[in-house]
């Protein structure tokens, strides 16, 4: 039930854009996105609910394609502070277990 | 300050010696959860709780127990730890309205 994330790793130059994908083999109720910096705890970015709108803040946004059981995280004009590992978490229904992907390592270089 | 606290932060123990990792949150959150994080495997949910006295198994519950007797506390119990439970453990909590999970600082457990 673990969602599949792609790519596994990406290296960007500051100012470039990136897309991280998350796909599930099951129909989804929600998709959660978190970022974890080295040696720290994961930090919430956003959640997308079935039937809900695309969410985003600042230069990070995400979409949720319910039919394809996929979500994508868009990082626009990346900053050095965006470096870290990004995890998507998926729920098949409200109140159920949250399954995280293995993560996508993102490195933004000057 | 709103936070999730875990104790201990680091623990080295021996196989079979029962241990408890405590987790406490001060945000009045209904939902609490335990995860383990291993290199290359991401975050895997062990147990979660939607409210007091309500707990459910996550992806990898074998070898672990939890209890939710109070809203703020959600201890993780390893009755007979084994070396394959060596891992980094995170506790998290969230409101059932916002779903935003706040993670504790993590507990690094080594079982020899």
């Amino acid at each position: 039930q673990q969602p599949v994330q792609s790519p596994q790793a990406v290296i960007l130059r500051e100012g470039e854009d990136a897309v991280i994908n998350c796909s599930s083999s099951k129909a989804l109720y929600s998709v959660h996105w978190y970022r974890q910096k080295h040696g720290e705890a994961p930090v919430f970015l956003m959640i997308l609910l079935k039937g809900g709108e695309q969410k985003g803040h600042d230069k990070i946004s995400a979409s949720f394609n319910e039919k394809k059981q996929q979500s994508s995280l868009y990082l626009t004009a990346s900053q050095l502070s965006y470096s870290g590992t990004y995890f998507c978490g998926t729920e098949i229904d409200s109140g159920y277990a949250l399954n995280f992907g293995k993560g996508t390592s993102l490195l933004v270089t000057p | 300050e709103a936070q999730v606290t875990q104790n201990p932060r680091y623990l080295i123990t021996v196989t079979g010696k029962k241990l408890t990792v405590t987790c406490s949150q001060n945000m009045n959150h209904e939902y609490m959860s335990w995860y383990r994080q291993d290199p290359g495997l991401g975050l895997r949910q062990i147990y979660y709780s939607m409210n007091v006295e309500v707990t459910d198994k996550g992806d990898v519950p074998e070898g672990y127990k939890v209890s939710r007797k109070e809203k703020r506390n959600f201890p993780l119990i390893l009755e007979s730890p084994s070396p394959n439970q060596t891992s980094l453990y995170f506790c998290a909590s969230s409101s059932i309205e916002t779903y935003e999970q706040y993670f504790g600082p993590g507990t690094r457990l080594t079982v020899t």
Side-chain angles (χ1 to χ4, degrees), chain B residues 22-78:
Chain B
T22 65
C23 172
S24 183
Q25 50 96 2
N26 62 0
M27 295 168 279
N28 201 37
H29 285 164
E30 298 86 359
Y31 180 95
M32 296 187 74
S33 181
W34 276 103
Y35 300 92
R36 61 177 289 175
Q37 186 171 33
D38 303 287
L41 297 180
L43 289 158
R44 292 182 292 167
Q45 192 172 44
I46 303 170
Y47 272 96
Y48 63 102
S49 169
M50 296 296 290
N51 216 323
V52 176
E53 302 292 359
V54 180
T55 61
D56 280 293
K57 295 178 181 179
D59 226 12
V60 288
E62 295 79 20
Y64 305 94
K65 284 176 59 177
V66 293
S67 68
R68 187 91 182 273
K69 297 177 181 176
E70 302 169 284
K71 197 171 186 179
R72 63 183 292 124
N73 296 322
F74 192 44
L76 179 70
I77 303 157
L78 286 73

Side-chain angles (χ1 to χ4, degrees), chain A residues 24-30 50 64 66-70 90-93:
Chain A
S24 172
S25 59
K26 293 180 177 285
L28 299 175
Y29 170 76
S30 70
K50 181 178 177 182
F64 179 17
E66 296 166 35
K67 287 185 179 178
K68 291 186 177 180
Q69 296 156 196
Q70 292 177 345
T90 57
E91 276 183 299
I92 60 172
D93 204 348

Side-chain angles (χ1 to χ4, degrees), chain B residues 93-112:
Chain B
S93 73
S94 72
S95 159
I96 57 173
E97 293 178 352
T98 66
Y99 297 94
E100 176 180 349
Q101 290 197 41
Y102 291 80
F103 281 76
T107 295
R108 187 164 293 281
L109 172 66
T110 302
V111 183
T112 62

